[in-house]
Amino acid sequence: MLTLIRQELYKQLHGKFYIGWGIVTLAMALFAGFVYHSSKELSQINANGPIFSSAIIVVLVAMIVFASSILTTDFSNNTVKYLFARQFSRGKIFISKLVTIVVMYVYLLVVSFVSTLIANALFNKMRSIPFDVFGNRISGMSFYLFLMLSLVLLISCLFKSNAVAIAIGIVFYFVVSIINPFLSIFIYYHSWVKYIPLTFLNVYSQTISPMMSEMTKLSLNEMRVGSIIWGIVFLLVTYVVYNRRNV
């Protein structure tokens, strides 16, 4: 298992994923800091929270792109035959990829935090660091990504295309906010609708804006538990599909 994890991390280091998205994350944080600094009204508030939010939105996109390709790359490059030849089970290969996803996510969160500190030092007049705000956003994003990435992994495995998974994952992020008013109507007339995965994709929004509970009709803890349950379901289905996929 450790050998597989080391190989996966080596491939990511060799592929420069961590450099490219790290630079984009820093650039987004600096841009957000500059915008708040340039506005007379916005410069009077502590911009650390909004700057960090801007940075982790890049993390969200990066992780969708990363997760969508991690299962399909081995098949498209035929490197999966090498793994099977060494008698690694598909279960261990699958778990090693999940571990790699977690490692990349933690890395990008650290980059986001450091980028926010840099933007804070350069542009923010109110230098205090709201760690509670940071923790709140990280918590919400973690639950959201657990559900979203499990869905993205399943899509990439079903369609055998990382491009489709990337497109659907990013579209979901923007579409959720658009269809929420309609989702609220459906929940009002059919209470069971609040338990579908689409509702739980609002977990990040509800974490930073508790008023979202009026739309979802679920508490934050229920949203978190539901995100975990649906995420596990999608991961199990993904493993079944991955385990039966032809080389």
Side-chain angles (χ1 to χ4, degrees):
M1 177 65 73
L2 291 178
T3 300
L4 286 169
I5 294 173
R6 285 196 297 267
Q7 288 177 348
E8 285 295 331
L9 293 176
Y10 174 79
K11 284 192 294 184
Q12 304 315 317
L13 292 174
H14 183 71
K16 302 298 188 298
F17 168 88
Y18 68 103
I19 295 178
W21 284 105
I23 293 174
V24 175
T25 302
L26 175 60
M28 179 60 73
L30 293 175
F31 176 75
F34 175 76
V35 169
Y36 274 82
H37 176 74
S38 301
S39 171
K40 291 183 179 180
E41 293 79 12
L42 296 178
S43 63
Q44 301 306 311
I45 66 174
N46 191 334
N48 276 309
I51 291 173
F52 186 69
S53 294
S54 299
I56 61 174
I57 291 301
V58 176
V59 174
L60 182 151
V61 176
M63 291 309 301
I64 290 175
V65 173
F66 180 71
S68 65
S69 61
I70 195 168
L71 291 181
T72 59
T73 300
D74 286 337
F75 286 92
S76 61
N77 296 335
N78 287 324
T79 54
V80 71
K81 295 180 179 179
Y82 166 76
L83 295 175
F84 292 160
R86 296 187 61 184
Q87 297 183 340
F88 291 120
S89 69
R90 294 201 183 198
K92 290 182 178 180
I93 296 172
F94 185 72
I95 293 174
S96 70
K97 293 181 182 297
L98 295 182
V99 172
T100 304
I101 290 174
V102 173
V103 172
M104 290 296 108
Y105 175 54
V106 172
Y107 161 74
L108 288 177
L109 283 180
V110 172
V111 171
S112 298
F113 180 73
V114 173
S115 298
T116 302
L117 294 182
I118 295 173
N120 173 58
L122 293 176
F123 300 111
N124 194 6
K125 294 179 180 179
M126 301 179 66
R127 300 295 177 83
S128 61
I129 306 297
F131 289 102
D132 56 333
V133 174
F134 284 15
N136 195 42
R137 281 161 171 71
I138 290 174
S139 172
M141 184 60 69
S142 297
F143 282 102
Y144 174 84
L145 278 178
F146 181 76
L147 175 56
M148 175 59 80
L149 295 187
S150 63
L151 183 58
V152 168
L153 287 169
L154 175 58
I155 293 170
S156 67
C157 211
L158 286 173
F159 290 92
K160 300 181 180 181
S161 170
N162 55 352
V164 173
I166 291 172
I168 292 178
I170 294 177
V171 166
F172 269 175
Y173 175 74
F174 292 104
V175 168
V176 165
S177 60
I178 297 175
I179 68 173
N180 274 340
F182 303 100
L183 187 62
S184 178
I185 295 173
F186 280 113
I187 292 175
Y188 179 80
Y189 288 104
H190 307 283
S191 61
W192 60 267
V193 175
K194 66 184 178 182
Y195 297 114
I196 66 174
L198 197 59
T199 302
F200 293 103
L201 286 174
N202 286 289
V203 64
Y204 176 67
S205 298
Q206 189 162 324
T207 300
I208 61 178
S209 179
M211 293 296 291
M212 280 293 297
S213 61
E214 296 181 4
M215 190 280 289
T216 63
K217 305 301 180 183
L218 294 169
S219 68
L220 182 57
N221 286 333
E222 289 173 330
M223 291 288 285
R224 289 170 173 171
V225 171
S227 300
I228 293 173
I229 291 174
W230 275 114
I232 292 174
V233 169
F234 287 134
L235 285 177
L236 291 175
V237 175
T238 302
Y239 172 69
V240 172
V241 176
Y242 181 76
N243 198 40
R244 296 182 178 181
R245 186 169 174 177
N246 294 326
V247 178

